[in-house]
Amino acid sequence: MVTLSDTPVLTTERLVLRAPQAGDWPAWRDFASGERARWIGGPMVEPGHAWRAFGHIVGHWVLRGFGSFVVTDRDSGAALGSVGPWRPDGWPENELGWTLWDAAAEGRGIAHEAALAARDFAARGLGWTTAVSYILPANARSAALAERLGAVLDPDAAHPGKEPCLVYRHPMGAAA
């Protein structure tokens, strides 16, 4: 298993994708407790809920050896969101997930740029030959991003939970 000090760092033209750090907590807390977190089960307003969810992000790296990268602005270092390979206990498949924590990061291609880097890492670094994204049906922006990444709806794929969920299957490796 890797420790957080052993996690890879990915760089793109505008971004650095790195393991979560304690300093990311305020940006995550503000995101998780706000309305923008509705797509991931929020807003998380119960005391400790956002803290435990952030611990889930950090702990996934230790338990699985991979996880969501924190997406940071290459120039300022500001934490903008998270993106990456994900498979909590009970997930039927490997997932490529994303969230932008900062509304100002939307509409600038940041999630797309970060997701491409994370998907390439999953294929090359983890050997994934398939990955899906689980998206709530009302989350049109996330579905549009999945489609821009070349993912296609897979209506026969299993998904976690009992609520309706769209499953987008990503092209991997040379197909991407």
Side-chain angles (χ1 to χ4, degrees):
M1 232 9 96
V2 297
T3 63
L4 292 182
S5 63
D6 295 334
T7 56
V9 175
L10 311 178
T11 57
T12 69
E13 183 179 330
R14 300 179 293 166
L15 308 170
V16 175
L17 283 66
R18 57 157 175 77
Q21 301 173 356
D24 300 325
W25 163 244
W28 164 260
R29 179 200 57 225
D30 293 348
F31 161 74
S33 63
E35 180 57 29
R36 294 175 41 74
R38 70 188 174 280
W39 307 119
I40 61 164
M44 299 174 200
V45 294
E46 297 290 323
H49 189 182
W51 176 259
R52 288 187 300 277
F54 188 67
H56 188 140
I57 295 168
V58 175
H60 195 282
W61 278 100
V62 176
L63 294 170
R64 293 277 195 225
F66 62 87
S68 286
F69 295 94
V70 172
V71 178
T72 64
D73 180 271
R74 195 169 178 172
D75 293 331
S76 71
L80 304 174
S82 60
V83 63
W86 189 247
R87 190 165 186 174
D89 186 50
W91 245 234
E93 293 196 57
N94 294 326
E95 181 184 17
L96 178 64
W98 51 77
T99 58
L100 287 179
W101 303 346
D102 183 347
E106 285 190 3
R108 298 174 37 208
I110 288 171
H112 182 258
E113 187 176 327
L116 285 173
R119 186 173 68 189
D120 182 64
F121 167 77
R124 293 176 193 246
L126 301 176
W128 287 12
T129 59
T130 188
V132 297
S133 290
Y134 300 119
I135 300 174
L136 293 174
N139 193 344
R141 289 188 77 123
S142 195
L145 175 58
E147 291 171 6
R148 185 171 175 215
L149 291 164
V152 295
L153 276 173
D154 184 348
D156 298 323
H159 61 82
K162 296 178 181 165
E163 298 299 318
C165 180
L166 302 174
V167 181
Y168 280 87
R169 187 159 307 279
H170 289 269
M172 298 296 284

